[in-house]
Amino acid sequence: ESAAAQVTLLDVADRCEWTEKMLVVRAKSARHMHALAEDLLKAIKDHMRLSQSKPLPVTVDGRESDDWVVVDLGSFVVHIMTPEAHQAFDLESLWSAAAPPSPQPPAEDSVEDSTEEESPRH
């Protein structure tokens, strides 16, 4: 069985410059994590072959890791983690706390009025 213990989809488009969505998957163990990653990569490859679509740029980090594998599809990144790594890094809280900076209006003091004439100084 390769069902993940927990899956969370994060929309980070307004907080992240390099991707729009992240899928955080908590696997049951390192072995389970690697099986999920391989299943995902096979599904991506099968989809591209069947749909005859343009190949997606797929980058995989952590193939040799015992706690975290990342499958990067550009605008969509999948993090597959062991329970220990999931708890240690807590990506859901990290990206929820990373609220986008709100635009600040310029301070009134910083705007100069060029219509005023300076009075001559004596």
Side-chain angles (χ1 to χ4, degrees):
E1 176 183 321
S2 65
Q6 180 181 348
V7 178
T8 305
L9 178 62
L10 303 172
D11 184 344
V12 296
D14 60 347
R15 295 172 290 236
C16 182
E17 294 178 6
W18 44 270
T19 194
E20 295 175 15
K21 302 223 187 264
M22 290 185 191
L23 190 67
V24 180
V25 180
R26 186 181 72 195
K28 298 173 186 173
S29 64
R31 182 176 177 179
H32 186 226
M33 174 190 71
H34 288 291
L36 289 170
E38 291 307 315
D39 287 350
L40 174 61
L41 293 170
K42 182 181 181 314
I44 292 167
K45 183 178 177 181
D46 289 347
H47 174 74
M48 287 190 295
R49 183 176 43 81
L50 293 172
S51 67
Q52 298 179 353
S53 62
K54 183 175 132 182
L56 293 171
V58 178
T59 304
V60 181
D61 289 317
R63 282 188 191 255
E64 303 300 319
S65 173
D66 288 332
D67 58 1
W68 193 347
V69 176
V70 178
V71 179
D72 185 345
L73 300 162
S75 63
F76 195 86
V77 176
V78 181
H79 298 271
I80 307 171
M81 310 167 90
T82 62
E84 297 80 13
H86 183 262
Q87 182 177 7
F89 295 102
D90 192 14
L91 295 181
E92 294 90 343
S93 295
L94 176 70
W95 283 100
S96 295
S102 57
Q104 298 294 321
E108 289 183 28
D109 295 310
S110 67
V111 177
E112 294 182 21
D113 186 356
S114 60
T115 60
E116 289 182 22
E117 294 182 23
E118 288 187 30
S119 58
R121 295 185 185 167
H122 299 283

